[in-house]
Amino acid sequence: MTTASDLLTSFGINGVASVVIIGLFSILKNQPLNARVYFAKWQLKGEKVGPTGSLPAGTGIRRYINLDAKSYIHVMDWIKDCLRMPEAELIDHAGLDSAVFLRLILLGLKLFVPLTVVGFVVLVPLNVTDKQLSNDLKDKALTYDALDTITISNISTASRREYRNIVALRFTFLALQIARPDQFTILCRCIPEDPDEPIATHVDHFFRVNHPDHYLLSQVVYNANDLAKLVKRRAKLQNKITYLQGVMDKKLKPARPTVKTGYWGLWGKKVDQINYYDDEIAKLTDQITAERMRVLTEDKAVMPAAFVSFETRWGAAVCSQTVQSRDLSKWLTEWAPEPRDVYWANLPIPYHRLNSRRLGMLILTIVLVIFFFFPVTFVQGFANLQQLERNLPFLKPIVELDVLKSAIQGFLPGLILKIFLLALPYVLNIMTRFEGHVSYSRIDKYAAAKYFGFMVVNVFLGNVLVGSAFEQLKEFIDRPTQIPKTLAQAVPMKATFFITYIMVDGWTGLAVTLMRLIPLLLFHFRSALMVRTTRDLERATPVGTIELNTALPQLGLYFILGLVYAVISPFILPFIVVSLGASYVVNRNQILNCYEAKYESAAAFWPHMFGYIIIGLLLKHLTLIGLMALKEATSSTPFLLPLPICTLIFYLYCKNRFEEAFHSYALEEAKAKDTIERAREPDLDVRAFLENAYIHPTLRSVVAGNDLAGDESDDDGAD
Amino acid sequence: MTTASDLLTSFGINGVASVVIIGLFSILKNQPLNARVYFAKWQLKGEKVGPTGSLPAGTGIRRYINLDAKSYIHVMDWIKDCLRMPEAELIDHAGLDSAVFLRLILLGLKLFVPLTVVGFVVLVPLNVTDKQLSNDLKDKALTYDALDTITISNISTASRREYRNIVALRFTFLALQIARPDQFTILCRCIPEDPDEPIATHVDHFFRVNHPDHYLLSQVVYNANDLAKLVKRRAKLQNKITYLQGVMDKKLKPARPTVKTGYWGLWGKKVDQINYYDDEIAKLTDQITAERMRVLTEDKAVMPAAFVSFETRWGAAVCSQTVQSRDLSKWLTEWAPEPRDVYWANLPIPYHRLNSRRLGMLILTIVLVIFFFFPVTFVQGFANLQQLERNLPFLKPIVELDVLKSAIQGFLPGLILKIFLLALPYVLNIMTRFEGHVSYSRIDKYAAAKYFGFMVVNVFLGNVLVGSAFEQLKEFIDRPTQIPKTLAQAVPMKATFFITYIMVDGWTGLAVTLMRLIPLLLFHFRSALMVRTTRDLERATPVGTIELNTALPQLGLYFILGLVYAVISPFILPFIVVSLGASYVVNRNQILNCYEAKYESAAAFWPHMFGYIIIGLLLKHLTLIGLMALKEATSSTPFLLPLPICTLIFYLYCKNRFEEAFHSYALEEAKAKDTIERAREPDLDVRAFLENAYIHPTLRSVVAGNDLAGDESDDDGAD
């Protein structure tokens, strides 16, 4: 069991660690040497923001290290700086996804700061005095009840308003956007085969007939996955050559490097490495040219899917929202993702296989969730010192030290959980890609949903519920009415564990994120060896991105913890508030200075996030009902029973009222934007602008005319 | 407990009753006198089908009574006759709704005839021999299992094929339809108020801007509910006058009738009745004219809803399927119902109240379902003879008679349940109307869903589960894993009860329906007293309609009984098969000869019916799992567990794959029909044909130009 002193140790370790890392970051950030790491976004934009920005460009050592003592006084000003930019400008600078993500953190603060205040003013004194007055439980229950009512109405109003605001933001954002190809384009799948004409012509005819006034052009989807692999391999080799040449230029090695030609360079003839790679590249280039021809000419390489573009946004909006064919499994249309958001590798998957793939991944996720319990429990047991001593007796003298003991008890459990969770997103991402979503934004969204499942079941329930998870599960299925009571018994006992988890994840973890240690090292390594031209420097600049697939579920977990513990054990709230506050500052800094969005989904993830909050509310209600039943405050239990039902109704209401905004583009909006654009730019050539927008990146150069430059393979998605 | 001899008595009573009634019907049907009752539909069409049709029109007594002895030999030929018409012709004659309803009965036959055969060939011998070999339960379980697999795969394929067929029928039906106003029209609700212009202009402008190429005209919805009430009251008075004059003409009463002027004719001055009613009608006519002017001129009478018509089906299909405004709760569009299908009284209900109305009715339905147990149990207990003797001791000598005893035990429980269920549809219909659906077809569909809830919970579960329903319910919520076992224990014991229920409902009940006793009497009463002109005769002709709101759930119950008992107690299957066969013949006869569809929803009820079948399958699975667990055939239980899950997946698959066809009109189809029509009738004036289609029936004459004829109030829907 974690005790109060363990908690204090953990507080000490995490507090000190965070402060030290943040201090280090503030100093590192102040060095012109690191500007490309900590101001990556501005550097790429060509704007000289950062330590060199405010100073006259130094010479010599000053180009690398900041010797201006005055600037160290203001070393913590970055916090002020990053909070300064207004939201509208932020949306412009970093996109709506990032801005909405920040709003969500703010939403958390708006909910939990008042709850903390109420909790400490009302509940803590009540709990303290309650020890003497244990007979008037009823009073306490009523206070719980009243508090809970406040909490819930607060959350409902706040989240409903937030929903409306985000919908409004989304529409405004879409209305203000410049003409983007995805506004005019839909993705059509399940195109039936026609014996008389190839798919491209068939698509063209179909839309020319059924959308005669608005149809513009269509671009069939090629299965260029093999081609993408070749291009990728060539890029890798080119990278290696650059590196080797860098090493030689710097004379770090005496002779020209050699390599064996067999697999993995382990056996075979020894040859000169650079020459060998050059030959390989030449071979690959030939293969690529051949494969490209094959893809473009062979009928089999054409998939029954196409990007169909319209002359107006109205036409595209109509086509994406309507049923095209009487066979409902044919000619399925949906709004096209942005060109950079398209996950090309999934487009060739036959549509009818998607269902079974999704089902398979659902089952696999459930299996993973269940089996994830084992390693966590095992390693957690290890962190239990009695067991550790028994298993590894030679550690006994060390472990017996009181300080170390506290450190291990207070720090390790949270850390172990965090480490296990770190590996998870990669697995979940691969699984979600396999499901066949056609855009990165959707892959992230559904990977996030799976991760959230882990957060709820493994992190929250798994740590709350004592005893074997399987037995508990069986018990739950057998007697579901016992769930609230079990929760109510277990939840209060685990408050300290979650406090250490929050400190590890929300304090130290955030500080590490802020620091960007790995990008920093990588950048210096690269710039030492591989950078010769400005383009090389640009490619070496480590631009990050918010990993929404993990950031959203983590935020969701904080909501759950805050909501569930708000009434039961408000001591956890200040830790959450500090975490959220820090998260807001850190994420805002990263978004402003060094993150570049991979795609712009216009906050398409919000409905999921709203669902997470609702799940938190439901867990809260269940726990509260169980608590009332346990304390036999039966007079107030019946008043609590409608709570989860009302929450569900509220969820359905919001879903009904708002969610369509995330799937469909309102015709009124589309028409208005069309009209305004026609007035402003009467001779905008939509065709020219759409013609090459949705071509597989490895084919783009060929189709566009110039055959040679073929390495825009950064986003071919074949990994 | 119902015993085998009770069952035999019930069989005797119901068998004899059905045969007698059907015989009576066959003779009555043969009389020209009754042609307007039994061939109502043909008579209204002006075709002389029926006993006068095949014979030379008789004179004198022959006009009323069939004296041709030869025709009595072929008196049962109506069964052959009514089975003769092919489906395509039937659809043409009676509409798709009726044809699909018949298909559903056929689907039941297709499922249960093979099951009966298999059941009697495999299961019955097994059950008989099993008494000696009670130790090899495992074998039996495996046979169950195998049989069940056959059943399920049979049902899945059959219902999936049926789904596809019905979707195909629906599209073909829509494609073959002549131009109907609802193909070009959508219903737009939640029109926001505009300070500058009235609603009619606002609607016009909105659609002119956002659907410029296809918009034709719009017709706002007036709140004419008060007007409809006045018109209805006038019609009632006119009816009374006709009746009184009929009585006077026939000289059935000596003096002119008088009436008191107070409420309900109970007090006040005595006046001449006919003159008094004439005065009242004159007054009402003035009021109607005034109210009509008010509705048409006052702004308040205009509701924020409008029927919007387009020049092409394509335009209407697009508008009905798309989101119009960025505020998702404004400008909601849906496909308009047929003009005759519109339930005008509900159109003025503000849209935002619909959710709370629906929620309220949902809660009321649940409460009704729970409290419906009490009277049924109470009256059922009465039918229990021991109790009856105790309560009413004077009945003892009668009740002790063995024949009577069997009659009561075997006949009463089914009959009592049936009587309670007879009153229910009216209540449910009123409740569903209150929910605010805008068309009769939808009211029927949702009333049917509620009625089906009663069928499952009160008829099926309520009779299966012994003991107090509430206790059982509490037990179920506490320990859901016990549901299958409880079902498995109770279901086999109740087979005889359901057999009597099926005989009462499916044999005698159907015969009574066929007979049309009440319409027959009413028609003869009316034609004696109130019919003077041909138009009066037409209005007196009793055209019925299939009551889909009760017919569908009843069919659903038969599916449930058949599926659940198929493996457990196949003795019930022949009764179901006979019932379904009779139902097919009877309904086909009624649909062909005397039912006229109130509306044509193109089989919009099928997705619900499909859901009923799935619920039957799920209940079957649960019972079977419980049975296996009870018999401890644990080796086969794990194989059964995935069954309900697979069924759910199958349901979701079908829903995904087909259901959209019932909400949206595919653009390809719409375009094709537009094109064909333009080629066939190049100068069809769509505007003229749509202009007055969607006007409230009490206003139609005014808007159309002639102010006087204002009694097309048959479908004003103000009841």
Side-chain angles (χ1 to χ4, degrees):
Chain A
M1 252 350 324
T2 330
T3 64
S5 85
D6 298 343
L7 202 63
L8 220 66
T9 318
S10 171
F11 180 76
I13 295 174
N14 284 296
V16 170
S18 323
V19 170
V20 166
I21 297 173
I22 291 174
L24 203 62
F25 159 77
S26 308
I27 293 166
L28 285 176
K29 188 186 163 91
N30 209 13
Q31 312 308 322
L33 181 69
N34 299 328
R36 284 211 161 254
V37 179
Y38 295 120
F39 298 92
K41 194 166 183 180
W42 300 102
Q43 297 278 336
L44 282 188
K45 271 194 179 175
E47 290 179 43
K48 292 284 172 206
V49 172
T52 48
S54 47
L55 296 168
T59 50
I61 189 83
R62 274 176 195 277
R63 277 184 57 203
Y64 304 107
I65 295 180
N66 199 340
L67 296 177
D68 181 14
K70 227 175 70 190
S71 77
Y72 286 92
I73 299 170
H74 299 288
V75 88
M76 296 303 284
D77 278 6
W78 61 270
I79 297 177
K80 245 184 358 199
D81 289 347
C82 76
L83 293 178
R84 204 180 285 144
M85 190 183 273
E87 193 179 39
E89 206 179 314
L90 183 78
I91 293 175
D92 211 44
H93 174 69
L96 190 62
D97 284 344
S98 309
V100 168
F101 177 65
L102 291 176
R103 275 187 87 105
L104 293 181
I105 303 175
L106 262 191
L107 176 70
L109 283 171
K110 273 183 216 157
L111 290 176
F112 293 123
V113 168
L115 281 182
T116 312
V117 174
V118 173
F120 276 81
V121 170
V122 182
L123 270 188
V124 175
L126 197 77
N127 276 318
V128 171
T129 53
D130 207 45
K131 273 169 196 159
Q132 284 89 46
L133 304 160
S134 55
N135 55 340
D136 59 0
L137 274 168
K138 218 169 145 186
D139 262 21
K140 201 181 162 189
L142 285 177
T143 322
Y144 275 4
D145 207 10
L147 264 176
D148 194 52
T149 319
I150 299 169
T151 320
I152 289 156
S153 63
N154 185 11
I155 290 161
S156 307
T157 6
S159 61
R160 183 167 169 268
R161 201 167 41 214
E162 195 66 17
Y163 214 138
R164 196 174 20 207
N165 287 346
I166 289 175
V167 169
L169 268 178
R170 185 180 156 92
F171 274 118
T172 316
F173 178 74
L174 292 177
L176 290 176
Q177 286 277 297
I178 50 150
R180 290 194 325 188
D182 54 305
Q183 293 167 345
F184 296 90
T185 308
I186 60 129
L187 172 60
C188 177
R189 305 181 79 178
C190 297
I191 299 164
E193 271 185 48
D194 192 294
D196 302 328
E197 45 189 16
I199 286 181
T201 330
H202 190 36
V203 172
D204 200 59
H205 287 175
F206 183 85
F207 285 97
R208 214 171 275 290
V209 167
N210 291 306
H211 295 269
D213 305 330
H214 301 277
Y215 172 71
L216 184 66
L217 56 88
S218 62
Q219 177 64 50
V220 289
V221 171
Y222 296 100
N223 184 355
N225 286 357
D226 290 343
L227 180 59
K229 268 178 217 156
L230 291 176
V231 169
K232 203 171 176 189
R233 211 192 302 162
R234 185 174 62 177
K236 228 181 231 167
L237 285 179
Q238 258 157 349
N239 246 345
K240 275 191 191 164
I241 292 181
T242 319
Y243 164 73
L244 290 172
Q245 277 172 340
V247 170
M248 288 200 12
D249 288 355
K250 300 261 152 100
K251 300 205 169 101
L252 295 175
K253 277 191 184 174
R256 274 181 81 89
T258 54
V259 75
K260 290 175 183 167
T261 54
Y263 271 106
W264 298 96
L266 287 178
W267 55 80
K269 218 170 58 179
K270 247 190 193 176
V271 290
D272 182 279
Q273 205 170 3
I274 294 178
N275 290 350
Y276 174 64
Y277 288 161
D278 270 338
D279 290 353
E280 287 284 297
I281 286 176
K283 263 189 249 167
L284 276 174
T285 308
D286 289 348
Q287 280 181 35
I288 287 169
T289 317
E291 175 69 16
R292 221 174 245 162
M293 282 317 293
R294 193 191 68 78
V295 167
L296 286 174
T297 51
E298 215 171 70
D299 273 357
K300 263 208 255 167
V302 178
M303 294 291 109
F307 288 97
V308 181
S309 296
F310 293 81
E311 271 169 12
T312 57
R313 288 173 187 83
W314 191 91
V318 160
C319 188
S320 72
Q321 290 172 47
T322 47
V323 174
Q324 308 304 315
S325 155
R326 74 185 276 177
D327 183 345
L328 296 168
S329 60
K330 297 271 180 290
W331 298 104
L332 299 173
T333 54
E334 58 183 298
W335 207 349
E338 283 179 296
R340 62 172 167 167
D341 191 15
V342 176
Y343 186 66
W344 293 97
N346 272 349
L347 276 172
I349 299 172
Y351 194 84
H352 61 267
R353 290 225 195 112
L354 293 184
N355 277 333
S356 48
R357 276 176 178 235
R358 269 166 215 179
L359 189 67
M361 285 303 115
L362 179 69
I363 293 168
L364 187 59
T365 309
I366 292 169
V367 170
L368 260 185
V369 163
I370 292 171
F371 283 91
F372 195 75
F373 275 121
F374 291 121
V376 173
T377 324
F378 179 72
V379 183
Q380 294 259 22
F382 236 78
N384 191 318
L385 282 187
Q386 281 79 36
Q387 274 203 313
L388 198 65
E389 278 179 21
R390 214 177 311 136
N391 289 323
L392 307 167
F394 58 90
L395 284 178
K396 207 171 177 181
I398 310 169
V399 164
E400 295 283 275
L401 287 172
D402 261 9
V403 186
L404 206 66
K405 203 169 168 181
S406 281
I408 292 175
Q409 300 258 58
F411 196 72
L412 262 189
L415 190 66
I416 288 168
L417 191 59
K418 183 74 195 163
I419 288 170
F420 266 95
L421 286 174
L422 276 180
L424 198 58
Y426 297 98
V427 180
L428 294 182
N429 234 19
I430 291 168
M431 281 168 58
T432 315
R433 282 178 186 200
F434 184 78
E435 283 180 0
H437 303 285
V438 293
S439 64
Y440 285 102
S441 56
R442 252 188 253 169
I443 290 172
D444 275 0
K445 200 164 75 170
Y446 286 96
K450 292 193 184 69
Y451 195 61
F452 183 72
F454 275 86
M455 288 286 172
V456 174
V457 179
N458 297 82
V459 179
F460 182 71
L461 294 179
N463 282 293
V464 157
L465 301 174
V466 218
S468 152
F470 276 109
E471 271 170 39
Q472 204 77 51
L473 199 72
K474 196 175 166 310
E475 180 68 17
F476 273 11
I477 293 171
D478 275 354
R479 301 179 68 88
T481 40
Q482 293 305 308
I483 297 179
K485 274 192 190 171
T486 318
L487 275 180
Q489 273 169 333
V491 162
M493 294 198 297
K494 286 294 176 168
T496 46
F497 167 75
F498 283 115
I499 292 178
T500 67
Y501 176 80
I502 289 169
M503 286 191 290
V504 173
D505 178 71
W507 298 11
T508 315
L510 267 175
V512 170
T513 312
L514 185 66
M515 173 89 178
R516 307 196 79 204
L517 192 64
I518 293 166
L520 183 72
L521 295 178
L522 220 63
F523 168 73
H524 286 305
F525 170 75
R526 275 197 192 143
S527 62
L529 289 179
M530 292 167 72
V531 169
R532 274 174 304 178
T533 63
T534 338
R535 204 178 159 221
D536 286 346
L537 188 65
E538 259 171 32
R539 292 178 69 177
T541 308
V543 184
T545 181
I546 334 177
E547 305 286 347
L548 285 176
N549 58 336
T550 55
L552 289 175
Q554 267 159 8
L555 191 58
L557 179 68
Y558 280 49
F559 273 102
I560 290 182
L561 291 177
L563 289 171
V564 170
Y565 280 102
V567 178
I568 296 168
S569 169
F571 288 101
I572 212 172
L573 288 177
F575 293 91
I576 291 180
V577 167
V578 171
S579 277
L580 288 178
S583 171
Y584 184 70
V585 173
V586 167
N587 278 301
R588 214 177 148 102
N589 177 66
Q590 308 293 82
I591 285 168
L592 279 181
N593 295 326
C594 39
Y595 283 178
E596 186 77 75
K598 268 197 306 191
Y599 52 77
E600 178 58 65
S601 71
F605 55 79
W606 162 251
H608 275 213
M609 188 67 207
F610 179 67
Y612 302 164
I613 297 175
I614 295 291
I615 289 173
L617 264 179
L618 289 176
L619 282 172
K620 174 203 182 72
H621 296 330
L622 284 184
T623 315
L624 213 63
I625 288 172
L627 205 69
M628 294 292 143
L630 267 188
K631 303 235 160 158
E632 281 159 32
T634 30
S635 64
S636 65
T637 315
F639 296 104
L640 291 176
L641 282 178
L643 281 183
I645 297 168
C646 290
T647 306
L648 276 180
I649 291 174
F650 170 70
Y651 172 69
L652 290 176
Y653 163 77
C654 284
K655 202 176 150 74
N656 251 329
R657 175 91 165 67
F658 300 117
E659 200 179 302
E660 189 62 29
F662 291 90
H663 306 301
S664 310
Y665 197 17
L667 293 190
E668 189 183 17
E669 294 284 303
K671 198 82 195 177
K673 195 145 168 62
D674 282 337
T675 315
I676 290 170
E677 195 180 69
R678 199 166 308 135
R680 270 204 203 136
E681 297 178 66
D683 27 60
L684 176 73
D685 185 2
V686 192
R687 175 180 283 273
F689 144 80
L690 286 169
E691 212 150 34
N692 296 316
Y694 283 98
I695 296 173
H696 195 289
T698 57
L699 297 172
R700 203 163 286 160
S701 50
V702 192
V703 180
N706 51 330
D707 205 342
L708 285 169
D711 49 1
E712 303 95 324
S713 53
D714 289 351
D715 50 346
D716 55 16
D719 41 335
Chain B
M1 259 336 336
T2 330
T3 64
S5 83
D6 298 345
L7 202 63
L8 221 65
T9 319
S10 172
F11 180 76
I13 295 175
N14 284 298
V16 170
S18 322
V19 169
V20 167
I21 298 174
I22 290 174
L24 203 63
F25 160 77
S26 306
I27 293 166
L28 284 176
K29 188 186 162 94
N30 209 13
Q31 312 308 322
L33 182 69
N34 299 328
R36 284 211 162 254
V37 179
Y38 294 120
F39 296 93
K41 194 166 182 180
W42 300 102
Q43 295 280 335
L44 282 189
K45 271 195 178 175
E47 290 179 42
K48 293 282 173 207
V49 172
T52 49
S54 47
L55 296 167
T59 50
I61 188 84
R62 275 177 193 275
R63 278 184 58 204
Y64 303 108
I65 293 179
N66 199 341
L67 296 176
D68 181 12
K70 226 175 71 190
S71 77
Y72 285 93
I73 298 169
H74 299 287
V75 88
M76 297 302 283
D77 279 6
W78 61 269
I79 297 177
K80 244 185 354 199
D81 290 347
C82 76
L83 292 179
R84 203 178 289 144
M85 189 182 274
E87 192 177 41
E89 206 179 313
L90 183 78
I91 293 175
D92 211 42
H93 174 70
L96 189 63
D97 284 343
S98 309
V100 168
F101 177 64
L102 290 176
R103 274 189 88 102
L104 292 181
I105 303 175
L106 263 191
L107 176 70
L109 283 171
K110 272 184 222 159
L111 290 177
F112 293 124
V113 169
L115 281 183
T116 313
V117 175
V118 173
F120 276 81
V121 169
V122 181
L123 271 188
V124 175
L126 198 75
N127 276 318
V128 171
T129 52
D130 208 43
K131 273 167 196 158
Q132 284 88 49
L133 305 160
S134 56
N135 54 341
D136 59 0
L137 275 167
K138 217 171 148 185
D139 260 20
K140 200 179 164 192
L142 284 176
T143 322
Y144 275 3
D145 207 11
L147 265 175
D148 194 52
T149 317
I150 299 169
T151 321
I152 289 157
S153 64
N154 185 11
I155 290 161
S156 305
T157 5
S159 62
R160 182 165 170 267
R161 201 167 41 214
E162 195 68 16
Y163 214 139
R164 197 175 20 207
N165 287 346
I166 289 176
V167 169
L169 269 178
R170 183 180 158 93
F171 274 118
T172 316
F173 178 75
L174 291 176
L176 290 176
Q177 285 279 298
I178 50 152
R180 291 193 326 187
D182 55 304
Q183 293 166 346
F184 296 90
T185 308
I186 59 125
L187 172 60
C188 178
R189 306 182 78 178
C190 298
I191 298 163
E193 271 185 48
D194 190 295
D196 302 327
E197 45 189 15
I199 286 179
T201 331
H202 191 35
V203 172
D204 200 58
H205 287 174
F206 183 84
F207 285 97
R208 214 171 275 292
V209 168
N210 291 307
H211 295 268
D213 305 330
H214 301 277
Y215 171 71
L216 185 67
L217 55 89
S218 63
Q219 177 64 49
V220 289
V221 170
Y222 297 101
N223 183 356
N225 286 357
D226 290 342
L227 180 60
K229 267 179 216 155
L230 292 174
V231 169
K232 200 171 181 190
R233 212 193 300 163
R234 186 174 63 177
K236 227 182 231 168
L237 285 178
Q238 258 158 348
N239 245 346
K240 275 191 190 164
I241 291 181
T242 320
Y243 164 72
L244 290 172
Q245 277 171 343
V247 171
M248 286 195 20
D249 288 356
K250 300 263 151 99
K251 302 208 170 96
L252 294 176
K253 277 191 183 172
R256 276 179 80 87
T258 56
V259 75
K260 289 175 182 169
T261 55
Y263 270 108
W264 298 97
L266 286 178
W267 55 79
K269 220 170 55 180
K270 248 192 191 172
V271 290
D272 182 279
Q273 206 171 1
I274 294 177
N275 290 351
Y276 174 66
Y277 286 161
D278 271 338
D279 290 353
E280 286 283 298
I281 285 176
K283 262 191 250 167
L284 275 175
T285 307
D286 288 349
Q287 278 181 36
I288 286 169
T289 318
E291 175 69 14
R292 220 174 245 164
M293 282 315 293
R294 193 191 68 78
V295 167
L296 286 175
T297 52
E298 216 171 68
D299 273 356
K300 263 207 258 167
V302 178
M303 294 290 108
F307 287 98
V308 181
S309 297
F310 293 81
E311 273 169 12
T312 57
R313 288 172 188 84
W314 191 90
V318 159
C319 189
S320 72
Q321 290 174 47
T322 46
V323 174
Q324 307 303 314
S325 155
R326 73 184 276 177
D327 184 344
L328 296 169
S329 60
K330 297 269 180 292
W331 299 103
L332 299 174
T333 54
E334 57 184 299
W335 208 349
E338 284 179 296
R340 63 175 166 164
D341 189 17
V342 176
Y343 185 68
W344 293 97
N346 272 350
L347 275 173
I349 299 171
Y351 194 85
H352 60 268
R353 290 225 195 112
L354 293 184
N355 277 332
S356 49
R357 276 176 179 235
R358 267 163 217 183
L359 188 67
M361 285 303 114
L362 179 69
I363 294 168
L364 188 58
T365 309
I366 292 169
V367 169
L368 260 185
V369 163
I370 291 171
F371 284 91
F372 195 77
F373 275 121
F374 291 121
V376 173
T377 324
F378 178 72
V379 182
Q380 295 261 22
F382 235 78
N384 189 318
L385 283 186
Q386 281 79 34
Q387 273 204 314
L388 198 65
E389 279 181 20
R390 216 177 309 136
N391 290 324
L392 306 166
F394 59 89
L395 284 177
K396 207 170 176 178
I398 310 167
V399 164
E400 295 284 273
L401 288 171
D402 261 7
V403 186
L404 206 66
K405 203 168 166 180
S406 280
I408 292 176
Q409 301 258 60
F411 197 71
L412 263 189
L415 189 66
I416 288 168
L417 191 59
K418 182 78 195 160
I419 288 171
F420 266 94
L421 286 175
L422 276 180
L424 198 58
Y426 298 98
V427 180
L428 294 183
N429 233 20
I430 291 168
M431 281 167 57
T432 314
R433 280 176 188 202
F434 184 79
E435 282 180 0
H437 303 284
V438 293
S439 64
Y440 285 101
S441 56
R442 251 188 255 169
I443 290 172
D444 275 1
K445 199 164 75 169
Y446 286 97
K450 292 193 184 68
Y451 195 62
F452 182 73
F454 276 84
M455 288 288 170
V456 174
V457 179
N458 297 83
V459 179
F460 181 71
L461 293 180
N463 281 294
V464 156
L465 301 175
V466 218
S468 153
F470 276 108
E471 269 169 41
Q472 204 76 52
L473 198 73
K474 197 176 165 308
E475 181 68 17
F476 273 11
I477 294 172
D478 274 355
R479 300 178 70 86
T481 40
Q482 294 304 308
I483 296 178
K485 275 193 188 170
T486 318
L487 276 179
Q489 272 169 334
V491 161
M493 295 199 298
K494 286 293 176 168
T496 46
F497 167 76
F498 284 115
I499 292 179
T500 67
Y501 176 81
I502 289 168
M503 286 191 290
V504 173
D505 179 71
W507 298 12
T508 316
L510 267 175
V512 170
T513 312
L514 185 67
M515 174 87 177
R516 303 196 82 201
L517 192 66
I518 292 166
L520 183 74
L521 295 177
L522 220 64
F523 169 72
H524 286 305
F525 170 77
R526 275 199 192 141
S527 63
L529 289 178
M530 291 167 72
V531 169
R532 274 174 302 177
T533 62
T534 337
R535 206 182 157 216
D536 286 347
L537 187 67
E538 257 172 32
R539 291 178 68 177
T541 308
V543 185
T545 180
I546 334 176
E547 305 287 348
L548 286 177
N549 58 334
T550 56
L552 289 176
Q554 267 159 8
L555 191 58
L557 180 67
Y558 280 48
F559 272 102
I560 290 183
L561 290 178
L563 289 172
V564 170
Y565 280 102
V567 177
I568 297 168
S569 171
F571 289 101
I572 212 171
L573 286 177
F575 294 89
I576 291 180
V577 167
V578 171
S579 278
L580 288 178
S583 172
Y584 185 71
V585 173
V586 167
N587 277 302
R588 215 179 148 101
N589 177 65
Q590 308 292 82
I591 285 167
L592 279 182
N593 295 327
C594 39
Y595 283 177
E596 185 76 78
K598 268 195 308 187
Y599 52 77
E600 177 57 64
S601 71
F605 54 79
W606 162 251
H608 275 212
M609 188 66 207
F610 178 67
Y612 302 164
I613 297 174
I614 294 291
I615 289 174
L617 263 181
L618 289 177
L619 282 171
K620 174 204 183 71
H621 296 330
L622 284 184
T623 315
L624 213 63
I625 288 172
L627 204 69
M628 293 293 142
L630 266 188
K631 304 233 160 160
E632 281 160 32
T634 29
S635 65
S636 65
T637 315
F639 295 105
L640 291 175
L641 281 178
L643 282 183
I645 297 168
C646 290
T647 306
L648 276 180
I649 291 175
F650 170 70
Y651 171 70
L652 290 177
Y653 163 77
C654 285
K655 201 176 151 76
N656 250 330
R657 175 91 165 66
F658 299 118
E659 200 180 302
E660 190 62 29
F662 292 90
H663 305 301
S664 310
Y665 196 18
L667 294 190
E668 189 183 17
E669 293 285 304
K671 199 81 197 178
K673 196 146 168 62
D674 282 337
T675 315
I676 290 169
E677 196 181 68
R678 199 166 307 135
R680 269 204 204 136
E681 298 179 67
D683 28 59
L684 175 74
D685 186 0
V686 192
R687 174 181 284 273
F689 144 80
L690 286 169
E691 211 150 34
N692 297 315
Y694 283 98
I695 295 173
H696 196 289
T698 57
L699 297 172
R700 202 164 286 160
S701 49
V702 193
V703 180
N706 51 330
D707 205 345
L708 285 168
D711 48 1
E712 304 95 325
S713 55
D714 289 349
D715 52 346
D716 56 16
D719 43 335

